[in-house]
C-alpha cells in the first residue's frame, strides 16, 4: 500500500513538474521549433571598401572588357558582348552567387526568391527583351500579328492575388470588400486618370510613360510630375480615400521600396501607366514568375557565361586613364589581390559603391542616389487552412493595412497538384523611416526580433501561423533598390558622366534608370554594352 | 486499509440496486454482441451471415464462460469486479479494435471471432458468478427469478435502443465506449458496497478508475468532430477512414454496397461502379490499334486496372497515383481486393506513387493507351490536371496512333465544365470524341475519348462478358441530348483556371 501511495505521489509530482516546466518554458521558447537564421549578406564584404586596406596586387591579367558585378545589367551586358563576338571579357562578382537582386535559395520543399521575383508581361516595343525571352522559350512564339505568346508554365498561375480585408480574403489587391460606394468611386476615378496617362503621348510624339523609361517623352507636362511627391499629387487631385492611399503606398513600396511621400508622382503614375504588356495567350497585365523568382532569368542570361564569371571578387579600385583601365580586386578565396588591365570596363554596381571604387568618379553635389533597405524572410510552412473565408492561397497574399507587402507563395508555380509544405516569401520594405536610420536599425535586430515582427504583421490573417512554420531564414538588404524620390529624374538627366569616362569606363545599373526593375536593368546592360562595342570598333 | 475484518454475508442494502446492476450487466452484454454483429456487417457485408455467426459464436462463448465459472471458488466478489472491468475494457474497445484493425490485418475474421469469443466468455461468467455471490443472501427461487427477469429485460431494452437511438445518435464507437463505462460503473458499485469483503478493494478501485478514464478519453477522442460530421454527412456506415497527407479516404458500407469517398466526394459505389469503369476503359481499348503499353493516371482504387486486365495483349500497365495510402489500401485489404480482383498486385501492373503532373512532365516513354481518372476539378490544385499544359504533356506521352480517355465529370450537372475539358483537349491537338452514360450513383457521367493521329472507327461488338457496355450501348453514348450538348467555353489554362470557376457555377446552379 505504501509503495502504491508513494508511486502515486511520485506520479503527481512528476506530472506537476512537467506541466510547470512546460508553462515556465513557454514564453522563452515560443520559437524553439522554428529553425533558421539571418543570412549574412554581401554587406560585410562591401564594408571592407570603407576601410580601404588592400595589399598591392601580385598578379596582372589582361582582358578586352571587365564587367564589375553580376546583377541583371551586368549579365545582360555580357550577353550582348558575346552575341557581338567579343569574348575576351571577365565578370567579377563580390558574392558567391550571381544575380544581384535576382538571387534565390532552395530547400527540400521549393526554390524561393531572396528579392526580385517576377517580370510583368513586357511592353511590345521592348524588342530586345522580347528577343531574350524568345531565346529561352519563355516566349513560345510570335504570332502572325506580331503578338508574343508566353510559356504558360511561367505565367503566374491562378489564383494570382488576394487581399485580406475586413476579415475576408478578397480576389485581387484593389480594396473592395467593405469599401463604401463613395470610396469605390474615388478608386475608379484614380484608375480613369491612370488610363489617360497610359494612353498619353507627349509633344515630341513619345509616350508619356513607357518601359524602359528612357524612351518616354521629355514633354514637361509629364516630366514635371517628377517635382512633386505622389502623396501631394494625390492630395492636389482631391483624393482622400484611406483605402486608396493604403493601396498606392503598397504599390510604390512593392516596386520601389519607397513610401507615398518620398516617391515622386512621376514614379507613382509610372508604376501603373508604364506597363502596357501584350500577350497572345494570356492577359496583358499578368506577370511571369518562377519559384526561384528572377534568379530564373539571371540563370538564363548567364547560361553561356559560366566560363567568364569569377565569384568572390571584391573590386576595390578602378583607375581609368586615356589609354586603359586598371581594375584592382581582392580574391576572398585565396586572400590575395590582383590586377586586370582592360581596354574597357563596364561598372555594374550601384552608384554609392562606384563613388568609392572608381578613382575619377565625379563629385556629385546633393547626390540623388538613395537606396531602400528591405527585410525578406522565407518561411517553410506546413499546408494548413486558417479559418478565414474567401479566396484560397494565391501567388501574392497581401494584408490590408499592413506595412509589409504580405507574402508570395514561392511554391505557387510548382506544377505538382498537392503540396504538403510550401515556402512563403515575406517582404518588408523598411520605408517608414529614412533609409539610413532604417538600415542601421535593421542591422541591429536579432533573429527573434525579426520573427516577432513577421508574426505580428501576419497575425491578422494567420493567428496560428506560428504553429505551422518549421523554418525561417531572413535576409537584410541594406541598399536594395534605387528610390525614385522627388527630383531624381531631373538629376539623372544632368549626369553626363554616366555616358562613360575616358571612352573606356562605362556604367550600367538600374539606378541610372531611376527605377529598380528587371526591364530597366536589362535596358541599361544592353545600352552600355552597345556603347562599349561601338567604342571597341572605333579603336 | 490494513484492518480489514471479515463479516458474515449481510443482505444487500436495497434489492433495487442489485437489480439495476444485473440489468446493466445484461444490457451491456447484449450491446457488445450487437456492436460486433453490426461492425461485421458494415465491414464485411452480408449482414444475415454476420449476425447469425456472431450470435452463434457469442452464445457459445457465453456457455464456455458459464462452464468456466465453476473453477472460481474463492474471492468471488473480487473476481466479479475484475471481470466487470475486463468486460468493460474488452467490450468497450471492441468496436475501436475492429475498425482500427480492419484495414491493417490480413485475417480480419480471425480478429473478429477472437474478440467476440473473448467478450462472450467474460459475459458468460458474469451471471453465474453474480448468482453465487448472492447465494445465501436471498432465497434461491427469488434469486433465480429476479436475476433472469432483469437479464431478459436488459436484453430487450438493449435490442430496442441499439438500432433506434444508439447507432444513429451515438454511433457504433461511442456506444461501445459508453457501455464499457457502465460495466465499470457496476464494478465500482460492487467494490464500494462490499469494500469490507474484497481483499484488494483499493487496487481494484484504482484499476477501475484507470479503465474508466481510458474509456472516457476514448469516448471523447475516437469519435472526434471530423468523424462525427462525416457520419452525418455520408448517412451511411463508415467502415474505414484514413487521412493521408493528401486526402481523407472514407469507405462506407450499406446493404452490401461499398462507397469510397475522397475528401467527401463519391469516388465509386460498388453496386454500379462497373458502369463507370466499363465506360471509361473499354471504348478506348477498342479504338486502340495496339494495347501493349497502358498508362493509368489516378485511379488508385485499381478498378480501371481491373477492366484493363481483361485484355491479355497488354504487356504492362503503369498506374500513377499520388497517394500511397490509397494504393496500399486497395492492394492489401482483402475486402477491397475482392472489388478490384487484386488488380494492383498483378504482375503486369506497376504502381508509382507520384504526382501525376510531375511524373508526366518527366516521362519520356510512349504509351498506346492512357486512362485519366482524376477527381473532379473542384479546386485549383486538381484544376491543373485538366489544363492545356497538362494535356500537351499527355499528348506527348501518347504513341502516334494512341488513344486516351479522360473522365470528365457530368455533362448534365456540369455541362460547361464537361465541354471545357473537351475544348481544352482539342486546343493541344487531340481529336476528341465525347460520350456519356448513366451511372445511378453519379447520374449522367461524361468521358472524353481523345485520339492523336488516327481517326475514330465505328464501334464494334464488345466482349460479351462485360456487364454494361455493348456496341449498341456505346453508339447511344455518343449521342448528346439537347440539355447536355456542346456549349462555348474558354480553354482551361494554368493562369486562368476557368474550369474550376465553371465547375463551381455549374454545381451552384444545379443545387439551387
Amino acid at each position: 500500500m505504501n509503495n502504491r501511495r508513494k508511486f502515486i505521489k511520485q506520479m503527481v509530482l512528476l506530472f506537476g513538474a512537467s506541466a510547470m516546466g512546460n508553462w515556465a518554458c513557454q514564453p522563452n521558447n515560443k520559437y524553439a521549433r522554428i529553425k533558421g537564421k539571418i543570412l549574412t549578406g554581401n554587406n560585410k564584404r562591401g564594408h571592407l571598401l570603407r576601410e580601404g586596406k588592400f595589399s598591392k596586387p601580385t598578379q596582372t591579367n589582361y582582358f578586352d572588357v571587365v564587367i564589375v558585378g553580376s546583377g541583371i545589367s551586368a549579365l545582360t551586358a555580357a550577353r550582348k558582348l558575346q552575341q557581338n563576338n567579343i569574348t575576351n571579357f571577365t565578370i567579377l562578382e563580390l558574392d558567391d552567387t550571381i544575380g544581384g537582386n535576382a538571387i534565390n535559395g532552395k530547400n527540400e520543399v521549393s526554390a524561393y526568391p531572396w528579392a526580385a521575383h517576377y517580370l510583368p508581361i513586357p511592353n511590345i516595343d521592348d524588342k530586345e527583351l522580347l528577343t531574350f525571352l524568345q531565346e529561352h522559350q519563355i516566349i513560345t512564339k510570335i504570332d502572325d500579328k506580331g503578338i508574343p505568346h508566353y510559356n504558360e508554365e511561367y505565367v503566374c498561375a491562378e489564383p494570382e492575388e488576394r487581399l485580406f480585408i475586413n476579415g475576408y480574403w478578397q480576389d485581387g489587391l484593389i480594396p473592395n470588400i467593405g469599401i463604401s460606394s463613395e470610396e469605390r468611386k474615388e478608386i475608379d476615378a484614380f484608375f480613369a486618370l491612370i488610363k489617360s496617362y497610359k494612353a498619353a503621348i507627349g509633344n515630341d510624339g513619345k509616350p508619356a510613360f513607357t518601359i524602359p523609361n528612357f524612351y518616354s517623352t521629355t514633354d514637361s507636362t509629364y516630366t514635371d510630375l517628377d517635382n512633386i511627391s505622389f502623396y501631394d499629387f494625390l492630395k492636389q487631385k482631391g483624393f482622400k480615400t484611406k483605402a486608396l492611399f493604403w493601396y498606392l503606398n503598397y504599390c510604390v513600396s512593392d516596386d520601389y521600396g519607397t513610401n507615398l511621400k518620398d516617391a515622386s508622382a512621376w514614379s507613382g503614375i509610372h508604376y501603373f501607366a508604364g506597363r502596357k504588356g501584350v500577350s497572345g495567350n494570356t492577359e496583358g497585365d499578368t506577370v511571369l514568375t518562377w519559384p526561384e523568382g528572377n534568379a530564373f532569368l539571371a540563370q538564363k542570361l548567364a547560361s553561356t557565361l559560366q566560363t567568364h564569371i569569377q565569384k568572390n571578387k571584391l573590386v576595390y579600385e578602378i583607375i581609368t586613364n586615356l589609354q586603359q583601365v586598371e581594375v584592382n580586386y581582392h580574391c576572398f578565396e585565396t586572400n590575395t589581390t590582383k590586377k586586370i588591365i582592360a581596354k574597357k570596363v563596364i561598372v555594374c554596381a550601384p552608384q554609392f559603391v562606384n563613388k568609392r571604387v572608381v578613382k575619377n568618379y565625379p563629385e556629385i553635389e546633393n547626390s540623388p542616389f538613395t537606396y531602400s533597405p528591405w527585410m525578406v524572410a522565407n518561411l517553410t510552412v506546413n499546408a494548413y487552412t486558417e479559418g478565414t473565408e474567401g479566396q484560397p492561397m494565391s501567388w501574392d497574399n497581401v494584408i490590408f493595412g499592413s506595412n509589409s507587402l504580405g507574402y508570395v507563395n514561392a511554391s505557387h508555380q510548382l506544377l505538382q497538384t498537392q503540396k504538403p509544405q510550401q515556402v512563403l516569401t515575406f517582404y518588408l520594405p523598411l520605408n517608414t523611416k529614412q533609409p539610413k536610420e532604417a538600415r542601421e536599425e535593421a542591422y541591429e535586430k536579432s533573429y527573434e526580433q525579426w520573427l516577432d515582427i513577421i508574426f505580428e504583421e501576419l497575425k491578422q490573417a494567420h493567428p496560428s501561423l506560428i504553429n505551422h512554420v518549421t523554418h525561417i531564414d531572413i535576409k537584410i538588404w541594406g541598399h536594395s533598390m534605387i528610390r525614385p524620390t522627388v527630383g531624381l529624374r531631373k538629376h539623372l538627366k544632368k549626369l553626363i558622366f554616366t555616358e562613360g569616362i575616358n571612352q573606356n569606363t562605362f556604367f550600367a545599373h538600374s539606378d541610372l534608370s531611376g527605377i529598380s526593375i528587371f526591364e530597366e536593368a536589362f535596358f541599361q546592360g544592353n545600352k552600355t554594352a552597345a556603347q562599349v562595342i561601338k567604342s571597341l570598333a572605333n579603336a | 486499509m490494513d484492518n480489514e475484518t471479515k463479516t458474515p454475508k449481510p443482505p444487500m442494502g436495497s434489492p433495487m440496486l442489485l437489480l439495476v446492476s444485473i440489468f446493466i450487466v445484461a444490457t451491456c452484454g447484449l450491446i457488445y454482441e450487437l456492436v460486433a454483429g453490426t461492425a461485421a456487417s458494415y465491414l464485411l457485408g452480408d449482414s444475415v451471415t454476420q449476425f447469425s455467426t456472431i450470435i452463434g459464436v457469442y452464445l457459445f462463448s457465453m456457455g464456455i464462460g458459464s462452464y468456466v465459472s465453476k473453477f472460481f471458488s474463492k474471492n468471488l466478489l473480487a473476481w466479479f469486479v475484475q471481470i466487470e472491468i475486463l468486460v468493460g475494457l474488452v467490450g468497450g474497445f471492441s468496436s475501436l479494435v475492429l475498425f482500427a484493425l480492419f484495414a491493417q490485418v490480413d485475417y480480419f475474421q480471425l480478429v473478429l471471432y477472437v474478440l467476440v469469443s473473448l467478450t462472450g466468455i467474460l459475459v458468460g461468467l458474469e451471471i453465474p458468478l453474480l448468482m453465487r455471490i448472492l447465494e445465501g443472501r436471498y432465497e434461491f427461487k427469488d434469486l433465480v427469478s429476479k436475476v433472469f427477469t432483469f437479464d431478459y429485460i436488459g436484453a430487450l431494452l438493449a435490442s430496442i435502443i441499439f438500432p433506434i437511438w444508439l447507432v444513429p445518435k451515438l454511433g457504433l464507437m461511442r456506444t461501445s465506449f459508453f457501455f464499457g463505462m457502465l460495466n465499470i460503473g457496476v464494478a465500482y458499485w460492487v467494490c464500494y458496497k462490499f469494500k469490507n469483503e474484497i481483499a484488494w478493494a483499493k487496487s481494484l478501485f484504482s484499476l477501475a478508475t484507470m479503465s474508466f478514464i481510458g474509456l472516457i478519453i476514448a469516448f471523447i477522442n475516437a469519435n472526434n468532430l471530423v468523424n462525427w460530421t462525416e457520419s452525418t454527412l455520408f448517412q451511411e456506415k463508415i467502415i474505414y477512414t484514413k487521412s493521408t497527407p493528401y486526402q481523407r479516404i472514407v469507405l462506407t458500407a450499406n446493404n452490401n454496397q461499398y462507397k469510397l469517398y475522397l475528401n467527401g466526394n463519391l469516388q465509386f459505389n460498388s453496386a454500379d461502379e462497373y458502369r463507370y469503369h466499363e465506360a471509361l476503359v473499354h471504348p478506348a481499348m477498342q479504338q486502340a490499334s495496339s494495347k501493349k503499353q497502358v498508362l493509368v493516371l489516378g485511379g488508385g482504387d485499381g478498378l480501371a486496372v481491373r477492366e484493363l486486365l481483361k485484355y491479355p495483349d497488354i504487356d504492362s500497365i503503369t498506374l500513377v497515383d499520388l497517394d500511397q495510402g490509397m494504393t496500399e489500401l486497395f492492394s492489401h485489404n482483402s475486402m477491397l481486393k475482392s472489388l478490384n480482383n487484386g488488380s494492383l498486385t498483378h504482375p503486369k501492373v506497376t504502381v508509382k506513387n507520384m504526382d501525376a503532373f510531375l511524373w508526366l512532365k518527366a516521362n519520356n516513354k510512349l504509351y498506346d493507351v492512357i486512362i485519366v481518372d482524376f477527381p473532379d476539378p473542384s479546386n485549383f490544385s486538381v484544376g491543373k490536371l485538366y489544363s492545356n499544359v497538362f494535356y500537351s504533356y499527355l499528348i506527348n506521352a501518347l504513341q502516334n496512333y494512341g488513344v486516351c480517355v479522360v473522365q470528365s465529370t457530368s455533362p448534365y450537372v456540369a455541362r460547361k465544365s464537361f465541354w471545357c475539358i473537351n475544348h481544352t483537349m482539342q486546343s493541344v491537338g487531340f481529336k476528341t470524341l465525347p460520350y456519356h452514360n448513366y451511372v445511378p450513383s453519379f447520374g449522367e457521367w461524361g468521358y472524353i475519348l481523345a485520339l492523336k493521329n488516327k481517326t475514330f472507327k465505328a464501334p464494334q461488338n464488345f466482349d460479351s462478358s462485360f456487364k454494361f457496355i455493348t456496341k449498341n450501348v456505346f453508339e447511344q453514348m455518343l449521342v448528346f441530348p439537347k440539355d447536355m450538348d456542346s456549349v462555348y467555353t474558354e480553354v482551361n489554362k494554368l493562369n486562368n483556371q476557368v474550369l474550376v470557376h465553371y465547375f463551381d457555377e455549374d454545381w451552384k446552379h444545379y443545387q439551387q
Side-chain angles (χ1 to χ4, degrees):
Chain A
M1 288 284 162
N2 274 337
N3 276 345
R4 198 162 49 79
R5 206 167 277 161
K6 218 162 122 191
F7 173 73
I8 289 173
K9 219 181 203 169
Q10 281 170 345
M11 290 303 288
V12 167
L13 275 173
L14 211 75
F15 181 75
S18 75
M20 289 285 288
N22 270 339
W23 174 78
C25 294
Q26 216 70 52
N28 293 332
N29 278 348
K30 63 179 170 178
Y31 299 132
R33 280 187 331 100
I34 300 175
K35 298 197 170 54
K37 58 174 190 285
I38 300 178
L39 305 184
T40 47
N42 57 18
N43 52 302
K44 290 234 169 78
R45 288 182 170 185
H47 288 166
L48 291 175
L49 283 179
R50 289 194 202 158
E51 293 156 30
K53 289 176 200 147
F54 297 98
S55 55
K56 275 216 150 70
T58 52
Q59 192 189 325
T60 303
N61 292 306
Y62 297 86
F63 282 98
D64 285 348
V65 184
V66 174
I67 295 172
V68 179
S70 75
I72 297 304
S73 53
L75 296 173
T76 307
R79 167 179 166 273
K80 182 142 185 140
L81 294 183
Q82 206 171 38
Q83 287 181 342
N84 285 273
N85 302 318
I86 295 163
T87 53
N88 185 22
F89 66 89
T90 190
I91 299 169
L92 301 176
E93 166 56 41
L94 167 67
D95 228 325
D96 57 2
T97 45
I98 61 156
N101 272 3
I103 58 169
N104 75 293
K106 189 173 169 48
N107 62 18
E108 67 289 351
V109 177
S110 175
Y112 46 82
W114 274 121
H117 63 106
Y118 64 93
L119 172 66
I121 296 286
N123 294 356
I124 198 145
D125 38 16
D126 197 349
K127 296 292 178 208
E128 281 197 294
L129 183 52
L130 297 186
T131 307
F132 161 67
L133 298 178
Q134 209 173 356
E135 277 169 25
H136 293 282
Q137 288 85 51
I138 298 163
I139 288 175
T140 49
K141 68 166 182 186
I142 307 274
D143 65 20
D144 315 338
K145 294 173 201 138
I147 307 293
H149 288 235
Y150 286 87
N151 186 328
E152 287 174 20
E153 284 182 46
Y154 305 148
V155 177
C156 183
E158 176 75 5
E160 200 169 333
E161 297 165 327
R162 61 173 184 168
L163 177 69
F164 189 76
I165 180 167
N166 294 317
Y168 187 89
W169 282 109
Q170 65 156 59
D171 181 13
L173 298 184
I174 300 166
N176 186 22
I177 299 285
I179 298 297
S180 72
S181 62
E182 217 138 290
E183 293 172 311
R184 199 163 289 154
K185 258 186 212 154
E186 214 177 87
I187 293 172
D188 290 345
F190 173 80
F191 282 103
L193 183 66
I194 288 298
K195 204 175 166 193
S196 68
Y197 279 124
K198 204 168 186 169
I201 305 285
N203 55 15
D204 52 4
K206 290 181 179 174
F209 294 92
T210 191
I211 297 173
N213 74 69
F214 181 83
Y215 296 114
S216 56
T217 185
T218 53
D219 185 340
S220 62
T221 318
Y222 304 104
T223 56
D224 280 354
L225 290 165
D226 184 49
N227 301 338
I228 167 176
S229 80
F230 196 24
Y231 182 85
D232 289 342
F233 168 84
L234 293 168
K235 285 281 175 193
Q236 278 180 16
K237 291 278 174 191
F239 292 109
K240 48 186 187 291
T241 296
K242 269 193 184 152
L244 178 66
F245 276 75
W246 174 84
Y247 171 71
L248 296 177
N249 190 61
Y250 160 82
C251 292
V252 290
S253 299
D254 176 43
D255 248 23
Y256 311 136
T258 309
N259 63 40
L260 271 186
K261 288 183 177 166
D262 289 344
S264 68
W266 181 88
S267 72
I269 296 165
H270 177 82
Y271 176 90
F272 298 100
R275 293 198 170 127
K276 301 163 190 176
V278 183
S279 159
N281 61 332
T282 70
E283 302 287 321
D285 59 359
T286 187
V287 301
L288 303 164
T289 188
W290 303 267
E292 66 270 44
N294 287 6
F296 178 89
L297 295 170
Q299 293 303 328
K300 293 292 180 201
L301 281 169
S303 55
T304 56
L305 300 171
Q306 293 313 328
T307 55
H308 297 273
I309 296 170
Q310 301 189 56
K311 294 171 191 166
N312 303 303
K313 307 287 183 284
L314 168 65
V315 173
Y316 64 86
E317 195 173 43
I318 298 170
I319 303 165
T320 163
N321 56 46
L322 290 171
Q323 285 76 43
Q324 62 190 29
V325 198
E326 251 183 71
V327 178
N328 295 324
Y329 63 98
H330 177 78
C331 309
F332 286 100
E333 287 139 331
T334 54
N335 203 23
T336 54
T337 305
K338 293 182 183 173
K339 179 191 294 291
I340 294 176
I341 293 180
K343 292 180 188 162
K344 314 280 170 192
V345 60
I346 306 177
V347 188
C348 302
Q351 305 316 312
F352 77 92
V353 172
N354 295 349
K355 72 178 180 196
R356 292 182 190 279
V357 174
V358 181
K359 281 305 145 212
N360 2 9
Y361 193 87
E363 202 60 45
I364 306 168
E365 263 178 72
N366 301 325
S367 171
F369 296 106
T370 60
Y371 300 83
S372 56
W374 283 72
M375 187 276 276
V376 180
N378 274 294
L379 293 72
T380 307
V381 179
N382 297 323
Y384 76 109
T385 41
E386 199 83 63
T388 49
E389 298 266 321
Q391 180 160 306
M393 170 77 85
S394 306
W395 173 65
D396 194 6
N397 307 269
V398 180
I399 295 160
F400 181 73
S402 168
N403 286 326
S404 79
L405 300 184
Y407 58 89
V408 167
N409 182 355
S411 325
H412 185 75
Q413 291 297 105
L414 296 177
L415 287 175
Q416 67 204 63
T417 45
Q418 302 281 350
K419 297 161 193 162
Q421 283 185 297
Q422 301 186 319
V423 177
L424 309 179
T425 311
F426 174 84
Y427 290 94
L428 183 69
L430 305 172
N431 63 2
T432 53
K433 293 182 177 160
Q434 283 306 299
K436 191 167 184 294
E437 193 188 349
R439 187 176 299 129
E440 279 162 8
E441 271 182 27
Y443 285 136
E444 289 304 311
K445 281 202 172 68
S446 72
Y447 180 67
E448 282 73 20
Q449 283 172 314
W450 283 120
L451 296 196
D452 286 342
I453 290 170
I454 295 168
F455 287 114
E456 185 59 32
E457 289 286 348
L458 296 175
K459 193 173 71 181
Q460 241 196 79
H462 301 295
S464 71
L465 181 69
I466 190 169
N467 302 324
H468 304 276
V469 179
T470 54
H471 196 113
I472 299 181
D473 279 338
I474 288 171
K475 203 168 169 66
I476 309 298
W477 294 88
H479 302 79
S480 75
M481 291 177 157
I482 181 70
R483 299 165 75 237
T485 46
V486 175
L488 174 69
R489 275 171 60 79
K490 199 162 284 166
H491 273 286
L492 287 175
K493 287 240 163 74
K494 288 190 239 158
L495 299 174
I496 38 165
F497 80 91
T498 56
E499 294 298 309
I501 303 173
N502 290 338
Q503 274 303 300
N504 56 22
T505 303
F506 298 87
F507 298 88
H509 193 272
S510 61
D511 62 2
L512 298 173
S513 284
I515 284 178
S516 179
I517 58 175
F518 182 90
E519 302 92 310
E520 295 290 357
F522 186 84
F523 166 76
Q524 286 288 331
N526 278 323
K527 178 173 113 12
T528 308
Q531 289 174 314
V532 169
I533 292 160
K534 197 172 152 200
S535 159
L536 277 171
N538 290 344
Chain B
M1 203 56 63
D2 298 326
N3 55 346
E4 279 173 26
T5 49
K6 296 277 175 202
T7 49
K9 289 178 180 177
M12 316 272 302
S14 148
M16 214 34 222
L17 276 175
L18 162 79
L19 298 177
V20 167
S21 77
I22 291 173
F23 176 71
I24 290 173
V25 165
T27 315
C28 292
L30 197 75
I31 291 285
Y32 300 140
E33 183 184 338
L34 293 172
V35 164
T38 314
S41 341
Y42 286 180
L43 295 166
L44 302 167
D46 193 0
S47 51
V48 175
T49 313
Q50 301 310 336
F51 264 101
S52 147
T53 52
I54 289 207
I55 290 174
V57 170
Y58 194 79
L59 286 176
F60 176 70
S61 308
M62 280 177 73
I64 298 177
S66 305
Y67 175 76
V68 171
S69 71
K70 74 171 179 178
F71 299 108
F72 292 83
S73 46
K74 282 193 283 184
N75 297 327
L76 286 184
L77 273 169
W79 277 117
F80 179 73
V81 170
Q82 289 177 72
I83 284 166
E84 277 309 292
I85 294 174
L86 256 181
V87 172
L89 285 176
V90 173
F93 283 105
S94 59
S95 60
L96 178 67
V97 169
L98 290 177
F99 282 99
L101 291 184
F102 172 66
Q104 314 300 330
V105 297
D106 287 342
Y107 301 102
F108 177 71
Q109 265 102 334
L110 187 72
V111 175
L112 174 69
Y113 290 110
V114 166
L115 198 64
V116 167
S117 310
L118 189 62
T119 320
I121 291 170
L122 291 170
V123 171
L125 274 165
E126 284 175 320
I127 298 291
L129 285 182
L130 201 61
M131 286 179 74
R132 282 171 56 200
I133 289 165
L134 300 174
E135 192 186 354
R137 300 180 208 233
Y138 294 94
E139 206 179 320
F140 187 65
K141 65 172 184 192
D142 261 1
L143 184 65
V144 173
S145 125
K146 279 187 173 139
V147 166
F148 283 105
T149 307
F150 277 85
D151 185 14
Y152 293 129
I153 293 177
L156 176 69
L157 182 76
S159 63
I160 291 170
I161 60 168
F162 184 76
I164 292 177
W165 190 75
L166 292 174
V167 174
K169 297 283 180 213
L170 268 190
L172 213 51
M173 280 216 200
R174 279 189 176 169
T175 298
S176 59
F177 291 137
F178 178 70
F179 282 89
M181 288 189 263
L182 287 185
N183 265 125
I184 289 173
V186 170
Y188 257 123
W189 181 74
V190 173
C191 237
Y192 172 75
K193 206 72 205 165
F194 300 98
K195 57 175 179 273
N196 296 335
E197 291 178 53
I198 297 175
W200 337 288
K202 273 209 156 175
S203 320
L204 291 179
F205 252 127
S206 34
L207 193 65
T209 308
M210 284 198 291
S211 312
F212 197 77
I213 290 173
L215 282 165
I216 284 197
I217 291 172
F219 185 83
I220 294 166
N221 288 315
N223 252 350
N224 56 35
L225 206 61
V226 181
N227 249 329
W228 177 247
T229 51
E230 272 170 0
S231 26
T232 51
L233 179 72
F234 296 122
Q235 300 181 342
E236 292 139 21
K237 318 293 181 291
I238 293 177
I239 59 172
Y240 176 77
T241 64
K242 181 174 182 165
S243 288
T244 72
Y246 306 107
Q247 57 198 344
R248 186 149 176 86
I249 302 174
V250 174
L251 192 65
T252 70
N254 213 4
N255 304 327
N256 267 343
Q257 288 182 17
Y258 299 96
K259 294 187 189 173
L260 181 82
Y261 294 85
L262 299 179
N263 292 335
N265 298 312
L266 180 64
Q267 207 60 19
F268 70 74
N269 175 347
S270 64
D272 59 14
E273 56 79 15
Y274 65 91
R275 279 187 159 230
Y276 172 81
H277 288 104
E278 286 190 5
L280 178 69
V281 169
H282 298 309
M285 289 303 279
Q286 197 182 72
Q287 291 295 317
S289 19
S290 165
K291 306 180 175 65
K292 290 197 175 335
Q293 302 293 326
V294 180
L295 173 66
V296 181
L297 299 174
D301 55 29
L303 296 171
V305 178
R306 176 195 67 200
E307 294 302 314
L308 286 168
L309 287 169
K310 292 175 180 169
Y311 297 88
D313 36 350
I314 289 180
D315 283 346
S316 92
I317 300 172
T318 305
L319 179 129
V320 182
D321 191 290
L322 179 64
D323 196 349
Q324 193 171 9
M326 177 86 177
T327 52
E328 291 277 309
L329 181 66
F330 278 85
S331 299
H332 300 301
N333 179 276
S334 55
M335 194 277 293
L336 297 173
K337 270 163 72 178
S338 72
L339 287 181
N340 65 22
N341 291 347
S343 63
L344 294 183
T345 49
H346 192 280
K348 284 184 182 175
V349 178
T350 313
V351 175
K352 306 253 186 210
N353 292 117
M354 281 182 69
D355 188 283
F357 210 136
L358 296 186
W359 185 90
L360 194 60
K361 188 177 176 181
N363 165 65
N364 45 27
K365 211 177 134 181
L366 294 176
Y367 292 87
D368 299 307
V369 177
I370 304 179
I371 313 276
V372 183
D373 191 8
F374 292 134
D376 283 352
S378 59
N379 61 52
F380 292 123
S381 297
V382 184
K384 291 182 194 178
L385 298 172
Y386 293 84
S387 65
N388 58 345
V389 172
F390 181 82
Y391 291 136
S392 62
Y393 286 120
L394 189 68
I395 201 167
N396 287 336
L398 206 56
Q399 288 283 7
N400 231 349
Y401 297 102
V403 182
C404 134
V405 65
V406 175
Q407 96 77 4
S408 304
T409 189
S410 168
Y412 176 71
V413 174
R415 183 172 172 186
K416 252 189 142 172
S417 310
F418 177 83
W419 291 104
C420 173
I421 298 170
N422 181 56
H423 297 144
T424 306
M425 293 191 75
Q426 286 172 341
S427 79
V428 303
F430 276 119
K431 272 173 280 181
T432 63
L433 189 77
Y435 62 96
H436 65 100
N437 74 337
Y438 183 69
V439 183
S441 302
F442 292 165
E444 274 301 327
W445 212 255
Y447 317 80
I448 290 162
L449 192 70
L451 310 169
K452 198 172 176 179
N453 287 324
K454 73 185 254 140
T455 42
F456 177 66
K457 58 181 187 201
Q460 301 150 2
N461 266 324
F462 288 89
D463 193 297
S464 60
S465 70
F466 298 161
K467 290 200 267 184
F468 172 74
I469 198 166
T470 66
K471 174 176 184 286
N472 290 339
V473 167
F474 185 51
E475 279 166 356
Q476 282 171 25
M477 284 160 72
L478 297 167
V479 181
F480 279 80
K482 277 167 83 175
D483 61 354
M484 304 197 287
D485 211 357
S486 181
V487 283
Y488 168 81
T489 72
E490 284 182 55
V491 167
N492 186 42
K493 298 178 177 187
L494 291 173
N495 58 304
N496 66 13
Q497 292 259 22
V498 285
L499 178 59
V500 175
H501 296 297
Y502 289 149
F503 191 78
D504 233 34
E505 285 164 27
D506 285 340
W507 274 95
K508 257 186 217 152
H509 188 227
Y510 181 72
Q511 279 157 351
Q512 269 163 9

